[in-house]
Amino acid sequence: MAIAANLGFPRIGKNRELKRQIESYWQGETSVDALRAAGEQLRAEHWGLQVAAGIESVPVGDFSFYDHVLDTATMFGAVPERYLAYGEPGAFGSYFAMARGVAGPGGVAPLEMTKWFDTNYHYIVPELRRDTRFSLAWPKLLEEYREARRLGLPGRPVLLGPISLLRLSRAEHGAFDPLELLPRLLPAYQELLAGLAQAGAPVIQLDEPALAGDLPQGVIELFPSAYAALAEAAGQAGIFLASYFGSLAGQFEVLRRLPIRALHLDLVRAPRDLGELLALGVPESLSLSLGVVDGRNVWRTDLARALEPLRSATAAVGPDRVWVTPSCSLLHVPVRLEPERRLDPEIRGWLAFAVEKLEEVATLRRALEPGTATEDLFAASDAVADSRKDSGRRTRPEVQQRLQALTAGDAKRATPHEQRRSLQSERLKLPPLPTTTIGSFPQTPELRRLRAERRVGALSEEQYEEGIRGEIARVIRLQEEIGLDVLVHGEAERNDMVEYFGEQLEGFAVTAQGWVQSYGTRCVKPPIIYGDVRRAEPMTVKWLSYAQSLTDRPVKGMLTGPVTILQWSFVRDDQPRRDTCRQIALAIRDEVRDLEAAGIRAIQIDEPAFREGLPLRRDERDDYLAWAVECFRLATSGVSDETQIHSHMCYSEFNDIVDAIARLDADVISIEASRSDMALLRAFQDVRYPNEIGPGVYDIHSPRVPDAQEMAGHLRQALGVISPEQLWVNPDCGLKTRRFEEVVPTLRNMVAAARQVREETN
Ligand code: GLN
Ligand code: ZN
């Protein structure tokens, strides 16, 4: 019989219990033992939920106190020397030191963090040296597997495979290709696999998501011998090889011949992969895991449609060699729908979170069994599909018409930037090397209290708004006093830069508890886009007009861009992403124009997720960049020449998209640079950036207060590749995670640095 399996489960807990426990441990309020016990309890609970949903093979090892890539590197002893002072591999001391650094004198910076493929989950980048020695240094997976067995769980150990682990790692000083270390890493994996087999594991899942992107020459050739060695060590247990987020087309000649027991296909992202593999032929020893339930989105599965590939696979290889699964780990969706009682019932009926998705997997697997009654569930699924199709909530004819009526001119400013530049700097009365910040100011405990009290109804709307105005007035005064040139209102009214807009736009639903892990203990609640997007009324104008009324200096309007809103929401699956993005762009365009009409002279449209949307495969990238650029321009081109459009991006590798960034035609762009010691500037050596630009001169992710000398040095460095008329002075991201005690002296130093370098260039 076919098997209903899961690939990975959200680990943060349905009420973010893990977040609370870990943060309390960091505060020194929870002991090591208590934190370990909390982890154990959460694992048991999550396993229980999966079994109750009908899952017959449950992943073990997907739990993590911070990140599974960090876990894997740590298990194999890849802990850089400088962290070992805080504890042996696997001890919380060294583990959290790698994840978040240790503050204070004699402290240590954390390892780098970056995005997990095309998701908004961030992993810790392992750092390897040419002489890194691997060993089975931390028995985490063995212990968790034994724990699962003690509970009588039908568990299946899962871990990141060796080739993807190395592909995701960074060589110290970039001095070599981490894949060169594969021969030395394999014995450590072999030892672990042998141990798991001995502990009774029926099969072991190795994730190789690196397979779904563009594989550099030679990488696929590493698989046969590596997997031969791994399979030998796993012996009886056999290997379940999983890749997701993209197609394996072109790799099947190699993959199907590997000595593995099962191969997983992400049929949501790559529906044609099954046909390709079946056409080549599936060896008798190989089972197929078919990811037919979308692990990246929140819509209920159309069961009848999902059943089709399962049936063709069953016909080809027989029911005993089919696994029914979600397309990827469910890490990227909320735990369950149950707490969402405030959602519109019709829309709620369209949704499935992790637990509901597993129920769908179980239903599909039962439907493969002759004589099992699943008709009711299929009928219900058909009814949902029909209800979505016919629902009036989904379509708004006026939005469709507006999209249809767009012309090329709508995505273009009236004149080129050179012309706009002089008009703007005259109107804004800016000095050379103008100073500004990225938008948010510290979110103080008082501010959080204000929001919490409003949520529970302890404050009237009026009292709340008065509180926010007080905060705005405070940061305006502060910025004037520090001497910044372009001010911001501070974003006190926003919980989150996407959710804030999701709450106000039509076509969006927001959840109460729909948390998804972003990195470590940080979670976000992505809004759900279910229908055509429309802005019912101005969203930010009230706050910005108030801020501008307090000062003669320009206050910069602050909006989240269409690509970032799209990227950080769950999007509809009934129309292409680009169309949804265009609709959002039009809503933002209306807001931009209203801000302009209210006297706001500079408006920033943040696009920190612009690069994250880049498809994993190179041949799909130009297409994405074309529509993403167009959407940004649609949002920003409705203003007059005198209105200055800013944008901001961060956490990104820019070098390969500098062209696209130039095509955004923002008057000013601020980008992260200081963390990589201005390495970003290299991108501007070859491509002359045409508009104005502010490479961040200090790292807001650290509590450190850099002095004016240091920041002046960064500015001088920037002047090596950027002309003085183009250069802006700003931090590298918003200040909301910092404290005023750090922010105020740093901004004073930043202004001093700007003044100093201004004099030198005059
Ligand atoms: N304007 C936002 C802020 O300052 C930008 C945040 C971001 O880049 N992620 O907080
Ligand atoms: Zn940023």
Side-chain angles (χ1 to χ4, degrees), residues 373-393:
T374 49
E375 294 84 357
D376 288 357
L377 295 168
F378 275 72
S381 165
D382 291 347
V384 168
D386 290 344
S387 129
R388 263 186 87 188
K389 221 176 292 139
D390 305 336
S391 171
R393 284 173 211 276

Side-chain angles (χ1 to χ4, degrees), residues 25-313:
Y25 169 78
W26 290 341
Q27 299 296 323
E29 286 154 17
T30 292
S31 68
V32 169
D33 289 345
L35 182 55
R36 296 238 178 256
E40 186 170 343
Q41 197 187 333
L42 218 45
R43 287 193 288 274
E45 189 183 315
H46 292 166
W47 290 333
L49 284 171
Q50 296 175 73
V51 171
I55 294 302
E56 298 153 321
S57 177
V58 175
V60 173
D62 52 346
F63 175 85
S64 175
F65 282 109
Y66 203 94
D67 162 51
H68 57 274
V69 181
L70 177 64
D71 289 1
T72 315
T74 308
M75 284 195 278
F76 296 117
V79 177
E81 196 64 44
R82 60 187 181 282
Y83 300 103
L84 288 172
Y86 300 92
E88 68 212 34
F92 283 143
S94 56
Y95 182 81
F96 289 129
M98 286 189 280
R100 16 183 346 247
V102 175
V108 61
L111 288 173
E112 228 177 276
M113 182 167 79
T114 195
K115 281 184 172 145
W116 174 246
F117 300 91
D118 57 356
T119 75
N120 187 26
Y121 175 83
H122 301 68
Y123 72 92
I124 300 289
V125 183
E127 182 188 293
L128 304 174
R129 291 165 51 134
R130 215 186 273 282
D131 61 358
T132 296
R133 298 265 155 235
F134 301 99
S135 64
L136 188 50
W138 180 32
K140 169 188 189 272
L141 185 54
L142 268 170
E143 282 166 8
E144 285 176 17
Y145 184 65
R146 291 197 187 108
E147 185 181 307
R149 283 191 68 99
R150 280 197 298 278
L151 295 172
L153 187 85
R156 180 180 86 256
V158 304
L159 79 159
L160 186 61
I163 294 174
S164 295
L165 175 64
L166 293 175
R167 285 276 297 152
L168 296 171
S169 299
R170 199 174 67 91
E172 193 190 41
H173 310 310
F176 61 99
D177 178 354
L179 279 170
E180 290 167 23
L181 304 183
L182 184 61
R184 286 220 308 273
L185 174 59
L186 283 175
Y189 265 85
Q190 286 178 297
E191 189 184 342
L192 178 58
L193 298 193
L196 289 167
Q198 203 170 28
V203 64
I204 300 163
Q205 177 183 328
L206 287 166
D207 285 358
E208 295 282 13
L211 280 167
D214 283 311
L215 277 188
Q217 193 86 66
V219 176
I220 189 73
E221 284 81 11
L222 298 172
F223 275 80
S225 65
Y227 274 75
L230 295 170
E232 197 192 314
Q236 280 298 312
I239 290 170
F240 177 116
L241 179 61
S243 172
Y244 30 80
F245 303 153
S247 173
L248 298 176
Q251 323 279 20
F252 286 124
E253 264 312 342
V254 173
L255 295 178
R256 73 192 178 115
R257 290 178 211 280
L258 295 180
I260 53 177
R261 171 95 63 80
L263 178 65
H264 174 79
L265 307 180
D266 178 345
L267 293 185
V268 173
R269 280 282 175 93
R272 285 200 288 270
D273 274 14
L274 178 63
E276 181 166 332
L277 176 56
L278 291 181
L280 283 173
V282 184
E284 285 215 356
S285 52
L286 188 64
S287 295
L288 300 180
S289 161
L290 303 177
V292 290
V293 168
D294 193 349
R296 293 283 298 272
N297 213 332
V298 290
W299 307 107
R300 275 181 71 166
T301 307
D302 181 338
L303 294 178
R305 264 183 55 192
L307 193 60
E308 284 166 26
L310 297 175
R311 285 225 194 279
S312 23

Side-chain angles (χ1 to χ4, degrees), residues 437-441 491 494 497 558-560 568 604 606-608 648-651 732-736:
T437 59
I438 307 303
S440 56
F441 266 75
E491 302 182 26
R494 302 186 191 172
M497 64 188 290
M558 197 55 59
L559 301 171
T560 304
W568 291 352
Q604 178 173 312
D606 289 325
E607 285 289 17
H648 165 72
M649 300 184 173
C650 52
Y651 270 123
D732 69 356
C733 196
L735 305 171
K736 73 167 165 232

Side-chain angles (χ1 to χ4, degrees), residues 654-663 671 680-691 693 718 720-723 726:
F654 290 96
N655 303 36
D656 49 353
I657 56 162
V658 180
D659 279 345
I661 292 178
R663 276 187 278 134
I671 43 187
L680 154 104
L681 294 173
R682 251 177 271 135
F684 299 98
Q685 255 156 14
D686 314 325
V687 189
R688 216 192 81 83
Y689 184 73
N691 301 5
I693 181 164
V721 286
I722 296 167
S723 76
Q726 289 180 288

